[in-house]
Amino acid sequence: MDKVEQIINWYVLSGVETFSSDEPVNILAVEKLPVEKGNPTPRPATSILAQSASEAFLNAKDICSKAQSLEQLRDMMEKFDGCSLKFSANSTVFGCGNHKAELMIVGEAPGADEDRLGKPFVGRSGKLLDKMLEAIGIERDKCFVSNILPWRPPGNRTPTDGEIAVCLPFLQKQIELVNPKIILMLGASAANALLNNSESISHLRGRTLQYDVDENHKYQALATFHPAYLLRSAGQKAKAWSDFLRLKEKLEKL
Ligand code: URA
């Protein structure tokens, strides 16, 4: 194996799958680099910009308390530097869909396709989600779809508790602004982050849950398997189907 091959292998093992620009950028000397028009902004060293998790969380809460609309919140989130995942991601993937949706769907984090296209659930998991919604007569465009994290964790690794905590205020504010009747949580990460517990998805699914952002914002919630898990474990599709039928029944009763 030659040296270049060894370096590439090392990158792949570290979870690096894409290049953010054609030329290498010395992130430690970023202030001294001229930024040419049309070129992507060089990414700053995360250790320089990333604040401590608690400082970043308070900053996120403060920012979110000021957002009056989803557009404003999106803008604020794009400018927020408190989560280091932002610097390895290509896009900030904000929630997408009907701003007055009765059904809000929450996943874990953008994958490679979502990171490339800047929209949630547009890859293989998204296609399966669309089919499941279609099967119960729900158009994806009528829902609002978002994630716990707006930035893709490198190599799709599991998000850390700190990353989830820092990003959660942005999701909570999206929920508050959309004000859905029901929240569907896809997978344990989404359900555990919102419900602040560590119960397995097998235990959470099939039950009517409640998610309280605060005293004034309480939402009916359901949990089911993440579509990415269903793609790997087709045997669980029957249970997911019964969760979707339950969701349909609840929506019809609204
Ligand atoms: N998986 C998620 O949890 N969210 C996405 O947006 C895509 C895949």
PDB file of all heavy atoms in Angstrom, residues 98-119:
ATOM      1  N   ASN A  98     -45.008  21.545   5.964  1.00  0.00           N
ATOM      2  CA  ASN A  98     -46.110  22.458   6.253  1.00  0.00           C
ATOM      3  C   ASN A  98     -45.895  23.140   7.615  1.00  0.00           C
ATOM      4  O   ASN A  98     -45.809  22.462   8.644  1.00  0.00           O
ATOM      5  CB  ASN A  98     -47.408  21.627   6.257  1.00  0.00           C
ATOM      6  CG  ASN A  98     -48.629  22.464   6.516  1.00  0.00           C
ATOM      7  OD1 ASN A  98     -48.538  23.637   6.857  1.00  0.00           O
ATOM      8  ND2 ASN A  98     -49.789  21.852   6.356  1.00  0.00           N
ATOM      9  N   HIS A  99     -45.828  24.461   7.603  1.00  0.00           N
ATOM     10  CA  HIS A  99     -45.565  25.197   8.842  1.00  0.00           C
ATOM     11  C   HIS A  99     -46.729  25.137   9.831  1.00  0.00           C
ATOM     12  O   HIS A  99     -46.601  25.559  10.972  1.00  0.00           O
ATOM     13  CB  HIS A  99     -45.233  26.665   8.529  1.00  0.00           C
ATOM     14  CG  HIS A  99     -43.892  26.819   7.886  1.00  0.00           C
ATOM     15  ND1 HIS A  99     -43.250  28.022   7.735  1.00  0.00           N
ATOM     16  CD2 HIS A  99     -43.046  25.888   7.356  1.00  0.00           C
ATOM     17  CE1 HIS A  99     -42.084  27.833   7.154  1.00  0.00           C
ATOM     18  NE2 HIS A  99     -41.942  26.553   6.901  1.00  0.00           N
ATOM     19  N   LYS A 100     -47.888  24.638   9.350  1.00  0.00           N
ATOM     20  CA  LYS A 100     -49.032  24.517  10.268  1.00  0.00           C
ATOM     21  C   LYS A 100     -49.476  23.050  10.345  1.00  0.00           C
ATOM     22  O   LYS A 100     -50.662  22.754  10.527  1.00  0.00           O
ATOM     23  CB  LYS A 100     -50.195  25.379   9.773  1.00  0.00           C
ATOM     24  CG  LYS A 100     -49.863  26.861   9.728  1.00  0.00           C
ATOM     25  CD  LYS A 100     -51.130  27.690   9.810  1.00  0.00           C
ATOM     26  CE  LYS A 100     -50.881  29.170   9.737  1.00  0.00           C
ATOM     27  NZ  LYS A 100     -49.802  29.685  10.544  1.00  0.00           N
ATOM     28  N   ALA A 101     -48.519  22.158  10.218  1.00  0.00           N
ATOM     29  CA  ALA A 101     -48.839  20.728  10.149  1.00  0.00           C
ATOM     30  C   ALA A 101     -49.498  20.212  11.432  1.00  0.00           C
ATOM     31  O   ALA A 101     -49.135  20.637  12.534  1.00  0.00           O
ATOM     32  CB  ALA A 101     -47.566  19.944   9.891  1.00  0.00           C
ATOM     33  N   GLU A 102     -50.436  19.284  11.250  1.00  0.00           N
ATOM     34  CA  GLU A 102     -51.014  18.619  12.431  1.00  0.00           C
ATOM     35  C   GLU A 102     -50.065  17.525  12.914  1.00  0.00           C
ATOM     36  O   GLU A 102     -50.040  17.183  14.079  1.00  0.00           O
ATOM     37  CB  GLU A 102     -52.361  17.988  12.055  1.00  0.00           C
ATOM     38  CG  GLU A 102     -53.403  19.049  11.763  1.00  0.00           C
ATOM     39  CD  GLU A 102     -54.796  18.493  11.689  1.00  0.00           C
ATOM     40  OE1 GLU A 102     -54.951  17.328  11.273  1.00  0.00           O
ATOM     41  OE2 GLU A 102     -55.736  19.235  12.042  1.00  0.00           O
ATOM     42  N   LEU A 103     -49.303  16.977  11.956  1.00  0.00           N
ATOM     43  CA  LEU A 103     -48.360  15.906  12.297  1.00  0.00           C
ATOM     44  C   LEU A 103     -46.924  16.378  12.100  1.00  0.00           C
ATOM     45  O   LEU A 103     -46.548  16.812  11.007  1.00  0.00           O
ATOM     46  CB  LEU A 103     -48.623  14.670  11.408  1.00  0.00           C
ATOM     47  CG  LEU A 103     -47.604  13.540  11.515  1.00  0.00           C
ATOM     48  CD1 LEU A 103     -47.559  12.958  12.931  1.00  0.00           C
ATOM     49  CD2 LEU A 103     -47.916  12.431  10.504  1.00  0.00           C
ATOM     50  N   MET A 104     -46.147  16.294  13.164  1.00  0.00           N
ATOM     51  CA  MET A 104     -44.723  16.606  13.048  1.00  0.00           C
ATOM     52  C   MET A 104     -43.938  15.312  13.249  1.00  0.00           C
ATOM     53  O   MET A 104     -44.234  14.535  14.165  1.00  0.00           O
ATOM     54  CB  MET A 104     -44.331  17.645  14.101  1.00  0.00           C
ATOM     55  CG  MET A 104     -42.865  17.981  14.059  1.00  0.00           C
ATOM     56  SD  MET A 104     -42.588  19.659  14.632  1.00  0.00           S
ATOM     57  CE  MET A 104     -40.806  19.690  14.680  1.00  0.00           C
ATOM     58  N   ILE A 105     -42.978  15.094  12.379  1.00  0.00           N
ATOM     59  CA  ILE A 105     -42.182  13.862  12.434  1.00  0.00           C
ATOM     60  C   ILE A 105     -40.746  14.228  12.801  1.00  0.00           C
ATOM     61  O   ILE A 105     -40.170  15.142  12.206  1.00  0.00           O
ATOM     62  CB  ILE A 105     -42.233  13.140  11.063  1.00  0.00           C
ATOM     63  CG1 ILE A 105     -43.695  12.814  10.730  1.00  0.00           C
ATOM     64  CG2 ILE A 105     -41.376  11.881  11.074  1.00  0.00           C
ATOM     65  CD1 ILE A 105     -43.913  12.267   9.342  1.00  0.00           C
ATOM     66  N   VAL A 106     -40.206  13.519  13.780  1.00  0.00           N
ATOM     67  CA  VAL A 106     -38.849  13.856  14.243  1.00  0.00           C
ATOM     68  C   VAL A 106     -37.928  12.645  14.140  1.00  0.00           C
ATOM     69  O   VAL A 106     -38.214  11.574  14.689  1.00  0.00           O
ATOM     70  CB  VAL A 106     -38.889  14.348  15.715  1.00  0.00           C
ATOM     71  CG1 VAL A 106     -37.479  14.648  16.212  1.00  0.00           C
ATOM     72  CG2 VAL A 106     -39.771  15.579  15.847  1.00  0.00           C
ATOM     73  N   GLY A 107     -36.840  12.819  13.411  1.00  0.00           N
ATOM     74  CA  GLY A 107     -35.827  11.763  13.285  1.00  0.00           C
ATOM     75  C   GLY A 107     -34.596  12.120  14.097  1.00  0.00           C
ATOM     76  O   GLY A 107     -34.629  13.011  14.960  1.00  0.00           O
ATOM     77  N   GLU A 108     -33.496  11.425  13.797  1.00  0.00           N
ATOM     78  CA  GLU A 108     -32.289  11.609  14.615  1.00  0.00           C
ATOM     79  C   GLU A 108     -31.386  12.731  14.076  1.00  0.00           C
ATOM     80  O   GLU A 108     -31.212  13.762  14.705  1.00  0.00           O
ATOM     81  CB  GLU A 108     -31.528  10.283  14.656  1.00  0.00           C
ATOM     82  CG  GLU A 108     -30.258  10.343  15.465  1.00  0.00           C
ATOM     83  CD  GLU A 108     -29.548   8.994  15.506  1.00  0.00           C
ATOM     84  OE1 GLU A 108     -30.187   7.976  15.798  1.00  0.00           O
ATOM     85  OE2 GLU A 108     -28.338   8.967  15.229  1.00  0.00           O
ATOM     86  N   ALA A 109     -30.840  12.511  12.904  1.00  0.00           N
ATOM     87  CA  ALA A 109     -29.868  13.466  12.355  1.00  0.00           C
ATOM     88  C   ALA A 109     -29.754  13.247  10.853  1.00  0.00           C
ATOM     89  O   ALA A 109     -30.033  12.150  10.366  1.00  0.00           O
ATOM     90  CB  ALA A 109     -28.503  13.233  13.002  1.00  0.00           C
ATOM     91  N   PRO A 110     -29.344  14.265  10.125  1.00  0.00           N
ATOM     92  CA  PRO A 110     -29.183  14.079   8.675  1.00  0.00           C
ATOM     93  C   PRO A 110     -28.141  12.997   8.369  1.00  0.00           C
ATOM     94  O   PRO A 110     -27.170  12.840   9.103  1.00  0.00           O
ATOM     95  CB  PRO A 110     -28.661  15.446   8.204  1.00  0.00           C
ATOM     96  CG  PRO A 110     -28.905  16.404   9.322  1.00  0.00           C
ATOM     97  CD  PRO A 110     -28.968  15.614  10.580  1.00  0.00           C
ATOM     98  N   GLY A 111     -28.375  12.260   7.298  1.00  0.00           N
ATOM     99  CA  GLY A 111     -27.384  11.312   6.786  1.00  0.00           C
ATOM    100  C   GLY A 111     -26.649  11.978   5.623  1.00  0.00           C
ATOM    101  O   GLY A 111     -26.781  13.193   5.409  1.00  0.00           O
ATOM    102  N   ALA A 112     -25.930  11.178   4.860  1.00  0.00           N
ATOM    103  CA  ALA A 112     -25.110  11.740   3.770  1.00  0.00           C
ATOM    104  C   ALA A 112     -25.976  12.461   2.732  1.00  0.00           C
ATOM    105  O   ALA A 112     -25.632  13.563   2.275  1.00  0.00           O
ATOM    106  CB  ALA A 112     -24.311  10.629   3.112  1.00  0.00           C
ATOM    107  N   ASP A 113     -27.120  11.877   2.351  1.00  0.00           N
ATOM    108  CA  ASP A 113     -27.978  12.499   1.320  1.00  0.00           C
ATOM    109  C   ASP A 113     -28.574  13.809   1.815  1.00  0.00           C
ATOM    110  O   ASP A 113     -28.647  14.798   1.092  1.00  0.00           O
ATOM    111  CB  ASP A 113     -29.114  11.545   0.918  1.00  0.00           C
ATOM    112  CG  ASP A 113     -28.582  10.311   0.220  1.00  0.00           C
ATOM    113  OD1 ASP A 113     -27.716  10.459  -0.652  1.00  0.00           O
ATOM    114  OD2 ASP A 113     -29.018   9.200   0.566  1.00  0.00           O
ATOM    115  N   GLU A 114     -29.015  13.785   3.077  1.00  0.00           N
ATOM    116  CA  GLU A 114     -29.627  14.988   3.662  1.00  0.00           C
ATOM    117  C   GLU A 114     -28.579  16.092   3.786  1.00  0.00           C
ATOM    118  O   GLU A 114     -28.850  17.262   3.539  1.00  0.00           O
ATOM    119  CB  GLU A 114     -30.218  14.653   5.046  1.00  0.00           C
ATOM    120  CG  GLU A 114     -31.446  13.760   5.023  1.00  0.00           C
ATOM    121  CD  GLU A 114     -31.156  12.292   4.759  1.00  0.00           C
ATOM    122  OE1 GLU A 114     -29.988  11.872   4.916  1.00  0.00           O
ATOM    123  OE2 GLU A 114     -32.092  11.557   4.385  1.00  0.00           O
ATOM    124  N   ASP A 115     -27.359  15.703   4.155  1.00  0.00           N
ATOM    125  CA  ASP A 115     -26.275  16.672   4.313  1.00  0.00           C
ATOM    126  C   ASP A 115     -25.934  17.302   2.957  1.00  0.00           C
ATOM    127  O   ASP A 115     -25.649  18.481   2.843  1.00  0.00           O
ATOM    128  CB  ASP A 115     -25.045  15.948   4.885  1.00  0.00           C
ATOM    129  CG  ASP A 115     -23.890  16.888   5.134  1.00  0.00           C
ATOM    130  OD1 ASP A 115     -24.109  17.960   5.723  1.00  0.00           O
ATOM    131  OD2 ASP A 115     -22.752  16.556   4.737  1.00  0.00           O
ATOM    132  N   ARG A 116     -26.012  16.490   1.931  1.00  0.00           N
ATOM    133  CA  ARG A 116     -25.693  16.979   0.574  1.00  0.00           C
ATOM    134  C   ARG A 116     -26.800  17.896   0.063  1.00  0.00           C
ATOM    135  O   ARG A 116     -26.539  18.943  -0.509  1.00  0.00           O
ATOM    136  CB  ARG A 116     -25.534  15.763  -0.359  1.00  0.00           C
ATOM    137  CG  ARG A 116     -24.842  16.024  -1.662  1.00  0.00           C
ATOM    138  CD  ARG A 116     -24.411  14.721  -2.322  1.00  0.00           C
ATOM    139  NE  ARG A 116     -25.389  13.651  -2.185  1.00  0.00           N
ATOM    140  CZ  ARG A 116     -26.432  13.466  -2.964  1.00  0.00           C
ATOM    141  NH1 ARG A 116     -26.657  14.281  -3.967  1.00  0.00           N
ATOM    142  NH2 ARG A 116     -27.263  12.455  -2.757  1.00  0.00           N
ATOM    143  N   LEU A 117     -28.068  17.500   0.313  1.00  0.00           N
ATOM    144  CA  LEU A 117     -29.190  18.252  -0.267  1.00  0.00           C
ATOM    145  C   LEU A 117     -29.788  19.293   0.681  1.00  0.00           C
ATOM    146  O   LEU A 117     -30.603  20.127   0.269  1.00  0.00           O
ATOM    147  CB  LEU A 117     -30.292  17.281  -0.715  1.00  0.00           C
ATOM    148  CG  LEU A 117     -29.847  16.295  -1.807  1.00  0.00           C
ATOM    149  CD1 LEU A 117     -30.899  15.232  -2.054  1.00  0.00           C
ATOM    150  CD2 LEU A 117     -29.542  17.038  -3.108  1.00  0.00           C
ATOM    151  N   GLY A 118     -29.413  19.245   1.953  1.00  0.00           N
ATOM    152  CA  GLY A 118     -29.886  20.248   2.916  1.00  0.00           C
ATOM    153  C   GLY A 118     -31.326  20.076   3.351  1.00  0.00           C
ATOM    154  O   GLY A 118     -31.940  21.021   3.844  1.00  0.00           O
ATOM    155  N   LYS A 119     -31.886  18.865   3.163  1.00  0.00           N
ATOM    156  CA  LYS A 119     -33.287  18.629   3.567  1.00  0.00           C
ATOM    157  C   LYS A 119     -33.385  17.317   4.346  1.00  0.00           C
ATOM    158  O   LYS A 119     -32.658  16.364   4.042  1.00  0.00           O
ATOM    159  CB  LYS A 119     -34.177  18.501   2.327  1.00  0.00           C
ATOM    160  CG  LYS A 119     -34.405  19.805   1.643  1.00  0.00           C
ATOM    161  CD  LYS A 119     -35.529  19.677   0.659  1.00  0.00           C
ATOM    162  CE  LYS A 119     -35.853  21.037   0.103  1.00  0.00           C
ATOM    163  NZ  LYS A 119     -36.423  20.988  -1.209  1.00  0.00           N
TER     164      LYS A 119
END
